[in-house]
Short mmCIF file of all heavy atoms in Angstrom, two decimals:
data_model
loop_
_atom_site.label_atom_id
_atom_site.label_comp_id
_atom_site.label_asym_id
_atom_site.label_seq_id
_atom_site.Cartn_x
_atom_site.Cartn_y
_atom_site.Cartn_z
N GLY E 253 172.86 161.34 110.61
CA GLY E 253 174.17 160.70 110.54
C GLY E 253 174.15 159.49 109.61
O GLY E 253 174.74 158.45 109.94
N LEU E 254 173.52 159.68 108.48
CA LEU E 254 173.36 158.55 107.56
C LEU E 254 174.65 158.28 106.77
O LEU E 254 174.82 158.68 105.60
CB LEU E 254 172.21 158.76 106.63
CG LEU E 254 170.83 158.91 107.29
CD1 LEU E 254 169.72 159.13 106.22
CD2 LEU E 254 170.48 157.63 108.09
N ASP E 255 175.60 157.60 107.41
CA ASP E 255 176.82 157.29 106.71
C ASP E 255 176.69 156.06 105.82
O ASP E 255 177.66 155.59 105.21
CB ASP E 255 177.97 157.03 107.72
CG ASP E 255 177.65 156.02 108.79
OD1 ASP E 255 176.60 155.28 108.66
OD2 ASP E 255 178.37 155.95 109.81
N ASN E 256 175.46 155.59 105.63
CA ASN E 256 175.17 154.55 104.61
C ASN E 256 174.58 155.18 103.36
O ASN E 256 173.97 154.49 102.52
CB ASN E 256 174.20 153.51 105.19
CG ASN E 256 172.88 154.05 105.72
OD1 ASN E 256 172.76 155.23 106.00
ND2 ASN E 256 171.94 153.16 105.90
N VAL E 257 174.78 156.50 103.21
CA VAL E 257 174.35 157.20 101.99
C VAL E 257 175.58 157.83 101.35
O VAL E 257 176.37 158.55 102.01
CB VAL E 257 173.35 158.31 102.29
CG1 VAL E 257 173.06 159.20 101.06
CG2 VAL E 257 171.99 157.70 102.78
N THR E 258 175.71 157.67 100.03
CA THR E 258 176.69 158.34 99.26
C THR E 258 175.97 158.95 98.04
O THR E 258 175.38 158.26 97.23
CB THR E 258 177.80 157.40 98.71
OG1 THR E 258 178.53 156.89 99.86
CG2 THR E 258 178.77 158.17 97.85
N ALA E 259 176.05 160.27 97.90
CA ALA E 259 175.51 160.97 96.72
C ALA E 259 176.66 161.10 95.71
O ALA E 259 177.83 161.28 96.07
CB ALA E 259 175.01 162.37 97.11
N ILE E 260 176.35 160.93 94.43
CA ILE E 260 177.30 161.11 93.35
C ILE E 260 176.67 162.20 92.44
O ILE E 260 175.63 161.95 91.84
CB ILE E 260 177.50 159.80 92.56
CG1 ILE E 260 177.86 158.65 93.51
CG2 ILE E 260 178.52 159.99 91.50
CD1 ILE E 260 177.76 157.26 92.86
N VAL E 261 177.31 163.36 92.35
CA VAL E 261 176.77 164.44 91.57
C VAL E 261 177.49 164.53 90.23
O VAL E 261 178.74 164.73 90.18
CB VAL E 261 176.89 165.79 92.33
CG1 VAL E 261 176.21 166.90 91.54
CG2 VAL E 261 176.26 165.68 93.73
N ASP E 262 176.73 164.44 89.13
CA ASP E 262 177.29 164.57 87.82
C ASP E 262 177.31 166.08 87.46
O ASP E 262 176.23 166.66 87.17
CB ASP E 262 176.47 163.80 86.81
CG ASP E 262 176.95 164.08 85.39
OD1 ASP E 262 178.15 164.31 85.17
OD2 ASP E 262 176.07 164.06 84.43
N VAL E 263 178.47 166.67 87.51
CA VAL E 263 178.54 168.11 87.19
C VAL E 263 179.04 168.24 85.72
O VAL E 263 180.25 168.29 85.49
CB VAL E 263 179.53 168.86 88.16
CG1 VAL E 263 179.59 170.33 87.82
CG2 VAL E 263 179.07 168.68 89.61
N ASN E 264 178.09 168.23 84.81
CA ASN E 264 178.48 168.44 83.39
C ASN E 264 178.27 169.86 82.92
O ASN E 264 178.50 170.18 81.75
CB ASN E 264 177.73 167.47 82.53
CG ASN E 264 176.21 167.58 82.54
OD1 ASN E 264 175.66 168.68 82.75
ND2 ASN E 264 175.53 166.45 82.42
N ALA E 265 177.82 170.73 83.86
CA ALA E 265 177.68 172.20 83.61
C ALA E 265 176.65 172.54 82.59
O ALA E 265 176.66 173.68 82.06
CB ALA E 265 179.08 172.77 83.28
N LEU E 266 175.70 171.65 82.31
CA LEU E 266 174.74 171.89 81.28
C LEU E 266 173.32 171.46 81.74
O LEU E 266 173.17 170.37 82.32
CB LEU E 266 175.08 171.24 79.96
CG LEU E 266 174.18 171.53 78.76
CD1 LEU E 266 174.30 172.97 78.32
CD2 LEU E 266 174.50 170.58 77.61
N GLN E 267 172.31 172.32 81.44
CA GLN E 267 170.96 171.99 81.75
C GLN E 267 170.12 172.18 80.49
O GLN E 267 170.60 172.69 79.50
CB GLN E 267 170.41 172.82 82.90
CG GLN E 267 171.16 172.65 84.21
CD GLN E 267 170.57 173.46 85.34
OE1 GLN E 267 169.38 173.75 85.34
NE2 GLN E 267 171.40 173.90 86.28
N ALA E 268 168.84 171.80 80.56
CA ALA E 268 167.97 171.95 79.39
C ALA E 268 167.93 173.41 78.89
O ALA E 268 167.81 173.67 77.71
CB ALA E 268 166.58 171.44 79.72
N ASP E 269 167.98 174.33 79.83
CA ASP E 269 167.80 175.78 79.50
C ASP E 269 169.14 176.45 79.22
O ASP E 269 169.14 177.66 79.01
CB ASP E 269 167.10 176.51 80.62
CG ASP E 269 165.62 176.01 80.74
OD1 ASP E 269 165.05 175.61 79.66
OD2 ASP E 269 165.06 176.08 81.82
N GLY E 270 170.23 175.71 79.32
CA GLY E 270 171.55 176.33 79.04
C GLY E 270 172.59 175.91 80.09
O GLY E 270 172.35 175.05 80.91
N PRO E 271 173.72 176.63 80.02
CA PRO E 271 174.77 176.34 81.04
C PRO E 271 174.29 176.52 82.44
O PRO E 271 173.59 177.46 82.79
CB PRO E 271 175.87 177.36 80.69
CG PRO E 271 175.64 177.70 79.24
CD PRO E 271 174.14 177.60 79.07
N THR E 272 174.73 175.59 83.32
CA THR E 272 174.26 175.61 84.71
C THR E 272 174.55 176.98 85.38
O THR E 272 173.67 177.52 86.07
CB THR E 272 174.94 174.48 85.50
OG1 THR E 272 174.57 173.24 84.96
CG2 THR E 272 174.51 174.49 86.98
N LYS E 273 175.72 177.51 85.13
CA LYS E 273 176.08 178.75 85.78
C LYS E 273 175.18 179.93 85.35
O LYS E 273 175.06 180.92 86.07
CB LYS E 273 177.52 179.09 85.55
CG LYS E 273 177.88 179.38 84.06
CD LYS E 273 179.35 179.72 83.92
CE LYS E 273 179.72 179.99 82.48
NZ LYS E 273 181.20 180.25 82.32
N GLY E 274 174.55 179.82 84.20
CA GLY E 274 173.65 180.82 83.73
C GLY E 274 172.21 180.61 84.21
O GLY E 274 171.43 181.58 84.40
N VAL E 275 171.80 179.35 84.41
CA VAL E 275 170.47 179.03 84.88
C VAL E 275 170.34 179.35 86.37
O VAL E 275 169.44 180.08 86.81
CB VAL E 275 170.14 177.57 84.60
CG1 VAL E 275 168.72 177.23 85.18
CG2 VAL E 275 170.15 177.25 83.11
N LEU E 276 171.26 178.80 87.15
CA LEU E 276 171.28 179.08 88.58
C LEU E 276 172.65 178.68 89.09
O LEU E 276 172.96 177.44 89.16
CB LEU E 276 170.20 178.31 89.33
CG LEU E 276 169.98 178.67 90.79
CD1 LEU E 276 169.60 180.18 91.01
CD2 LEU E 276 168.96 177.81 91.52
N ARG E 277 173.46 179.61 89.44
CA ARG E 277 174.86 179.29 89.84
C ARG E 277 174.83 178.51 91.15
O ARG E 277 174.24 178.93 92.15
CB ARG E 277 175.63 180.62 90.04
CG ARG E 277 177.08 180.40 90.27
CD ARG E 277 177.91 181.71 90.35
NE ARG E 277 177.46 182.51 91.50
CZ ARG E 277 176.75 183.64 91.43
NH1 ARG E 277 176.32 184.04 90.26
NH2 ARG E 277 176.40 184.31 92.49
#
């Protein structure tokens, strides 16, 4: 119940090996 944690996810859809959806959806 760690309500003192907030994650912020940067979804830019790109990884070193290519588009995120192609690497691992």
Side-chain angles (χ1 to χ4, degrees):
L254 296 180
D255 53 13
N256 56 343
V257 170
T258 297
I260 306 166
V261 184
D262 174 32
V263 181
N264 59 33
L266 184 67
Q267 299 182 28
D269 294 331
T272 298
K273 65 181 181 181
V275 176
L276 187 63
R277 187 176 65 253

